[in-house]
Amino acid sequence: MLRKNFNSENPWRLGLLVVCLFGGAFLIASFLRTPNSNPLFCIGGGGLGRAGSVEEGTTIQMEAIRHYATSQVVPQQSLGEVTVSFDVLKATAPCNFLVFGLGHDSLMWAALNPRGRTLFLEEDPKWYQAVLKDAPALEAETVAYRTQLSEADELLQHYRTEPLCSPTNSFLRGNSKCRLALNMLSDKVYDTEWDLIMIDAPRGYFPEAPGRMAAIYSAAVMARNRKGSGVTHVFLHDVDRKVEKTYAEMFLCKRNLVKAEGRLWHFEIPPVTNPNSEFC
C-alpha cells in the first residue's frame, strides 16, 4: 500500500487512465438515477452493502478526478495490476469491498465502487488521520495488529498446533487464542460478507512491521465462512516477497489462483461446503 513513495513506472500514463475512468463513470452516473439502472462500476441496482445513492457515488468520483488530475502521486500498483481488480469491480454489483491499508490509491478504489461499500483497514493512526483529512468521504478504521513480520515462521508453527486456528474451527470475532485471527476488528467487518478483499497492507518490509500473515489468514477465513452464493475475490499484492507468497500458498491456495499480474495474485475462494476440509 502506497504511503510516502509512488510508483515511477509510467506514472502519468496510469494517472491519466485513472482520471479517464472516473470521468467516464461520472458522466454515466449522471444519467443513471433509477434503482433499476444497469450496473457500471458498481453503481447499478440491487441490494446495497450500505445505504447509497448515485449522488454519493458521483461525489467521491469527483473528488477522485480532482485528486488524480492535480497530483503527480499515483497508485503504487502498476497499470496491469490495477486492471485485474478493475475488471472484477466492473462485473460485480453491488460490491462489498474490504481493503487492507490506506494510501494514495484509496480514492481510486472507493470511486470505482461508488454504490457499494468500500472499507479500509489501516494500521497507522497518524497515516489514517492524514489520509482522511484530505479524503473525508472514505470509510476507514484503524487496526492494532498483534503480530510482527519477524514472527512469520513461528506463527506457522502456532497455526499447526493451536486448535482454534484449525480450518475446521476457524473464526475471527473473539478468537484470542489464534494469533493469526484478526479478533480486534469492528462488528461492521464481521457482520458484512465481503465480495472483494484487497490485501496491500499492513507493512511487511522490516522485522518489526506487522506483516501480512494475519491479514491473509483472516481473509481466507472470511471467504471460507461466506454464507451467500458466489466466490470471494481476494487480491494479494507484493507476492514477490517470501512471507506473502508462503502464506498465500498455505491459506489462499494455488488451486484458487485465477490470475497473476506483476506482483499481484487474484484468488477466487468459494465458501466451504465440507466443514472438515483443509485450507489447501
Side-chain angles (χ1 to χ4, degrees):
M1 179 62 63
L2 180 63
R3 294 188 176 212
K4 297 181 181 178
N5 300 316
F6 64 92
N7 180 25
S8 60
E9 179 183 355
N10 296 324
W12 288 110
R13 181 185 177 195
L14 181 54
L16 179 61
L17 174 66
V18 170
V19 171
C20 290
L21 291 175
F22 297 152
F26 169 70
L27 290 174
I28 293 171
S30 299
F31 295 100
L32 299 180
R33 298 183 178 274
T34 63
N36 294 321
S37 300
N38 292 327
L40 179 65
F41 299 105
C42 304
I43 59 174
L48 300 177
R50 61 169 175 165
S53 68
V54 172
E55 288 75 13
E56 291 174 356
T58 55
T59 296
I60 202 163
Q61 286 176 332
M62 291 174 66
E63 289 183 7
I65 291 171
R66 180 187 63 180
H67 171 78
Y68 293 110
T70 58
S71 175
Q72 296 185 37
V73 181
V74 297
Q76 182 185 29
Q77 294 184 26
S78 69
L79 174 60
E81 292 166 349
V82 169
T83 302
V84 173
S85 307
F86 168 76
D87 288 342
V88 175
L89 282 166
K90 273 200 306 183
T92 308
C95 300
N96 289 323
F97 190 10
L98 182 65
V99 183
F100 284 86
L102 275 172
H104 295 295
D105 54 359
S106 298
L107 265 177
M108 177 184 69
W109 296 127
L112 293 175
N113 185 26
R115 290 292 307 276
R117 176 175 215 163
T118 305
L119 175 63
F120 299 89
L121 303 179
E122 171 57 37
E123 67 181 279
D124 185 344
K126 292 183 179 180
W127 181 245
Y128 166 90
Q129 293 175 0
V131 173
L132 270 291
K133 180 181 178 180
D134 293 333
L138 295 177
E139 184 180 10
E141 54 188 58
T142 57
V143 179
Y145 290 91
R146 49 180 180 154
T147 57
Q148 290 189 347
L149 182 64
S150 59
E151 301 171 327
D153 292 339
E154 175 194 343
L155 286 169
L156 284 179
Q157 182 61 31
H158 167 74
Y159 155 72
R160 295 185 179 100
T161 58
E162 172 52 57
L164 290 186
C165 288
S166 165
T168 59
N169 296 315
S170 56
F171 65 99
L172 301 180
R173 180 161 34 197
N175 191 349
S176 59
K177 290 189 176 182
C178 179
R179 291 161 57 198
L180 285 171
L182 293 179
N183 68 337
M184 73 296 287
L185 305 178
S186 68
D187 286 341
K188 69 173 70 173
V189 179
Y190 300 129
D191 294 339
T192 303
E193 290 208 333
W194 300 101
D195 304 301
L196 286 76
I197 301 175
M198 171 74 73
I199 305 173
D200 204 1
R203 290 171 293 176
Y205 52 87
F206 59 95
E208 296 77 19
R212 298 180 186 172
M213 302 82 68
I216 294 170
Y217 172 87
S218 298
V221 172
M222 292 180 195
R224 286 167 54 88
N225 291 345
R226 183 183 178 94
K227 303 303 180 185
S229 60
V231 300
T232 302
H233 298 272
V234 178
F235 307 93
L236 175 62
H237 199 224
D238 297 317
V239 293
D240 56 316
R241 301 194 303 215
K242 178 183 176 181
V243 168
E244 278 80 353
K245 185 175 185 291
T246 299
Y247 273 74
E249 293 175 347
M250 176 72 72
F251 299 111
L252 302 178
C253 311
K254 274 295 187 74
R255 68 170 179 267
N256 297 323
L257 180 63
V258 295
K259 192 158 188 176
E261 176 65 40
R263 295 180 295 139
L264 183 82
W265 280 356
H266 170 206
F267 299 84
E268 292 182 356
I269 303 178
V272 171
T273 55
N274 178 3
N276 295 317
S277 64
E278 297 294 323
F279 279 105
C280 299

